Amino acid sequence: MKDTSLLITATIAMHPSACDNTIDLTAVDADSHPNDPPAWEQEIPVGDHPTPAWGQQLADDVLATNSYRRDGQWWCSTDLTGYPSWTADVVHE
């Protein structure tokens, strides 16, 4: 049965940086208020890759390698993050 006590999201920048690209995971309690701090946060480093390969498919592959899978579509989260980004709900397997 799926653990619904935490909601986990993954966020990636729309445009890669020259180095240090990460997938940023954030977990919040399912019944938390939007202003509550996250239960935990984690950065998954994305290893060397050709810049054109950066994007949602690469993020899906890196998530899978780290025992996560996307649960739904990537959506534009620029308004939330303040920088061009994509976010998706993810599940730890």
Side-chain angles (χ1 to χ4, degrees):
M1 186 160 105
K2 180 176 154 183
D3 179 9
T4 58
S5 63
L6 289 177
L7 303 174
I8 306 170
T9 59
T11 301
I12 61 170
M14 285 184 190
H15 309 290
S17 67
C19 60
D20 299 329
N21 291 301
T22 61
I23 299 172
D24 301 326
L25 299 178
T26 303
V28 296
D29 291 321
D31 58 353
S32 68
H33 184 272
N35 292 333
D36 290 346
W40 57 261
E41 296 176 303
Q42 176 185 355
E43 288 185 348
I44 299 175
V46 178
D48 292 335
H49 59 80
T51 301
W54 179 252
Q56 296 171 3
Q57 183 58 55
L58 177 64
D60 286 343
D61 295 344
V62 172
L63 286 167
T65 299
N66 287 274
S67 301
Y68 289 90
R69 70 172 167 78
R70 186 166 39 89
D71 185 26
Q73 298 298 312
W74 290 99
W75 50 275
C76 179
S77 56
T78 301
D79 289 343
L80 284 174
T81 63
Y83 61 91
S85 61
W86 296 103
T87 296
D89 294 332
V90 296
V91 176
H92 189 261
E93 299 191 298

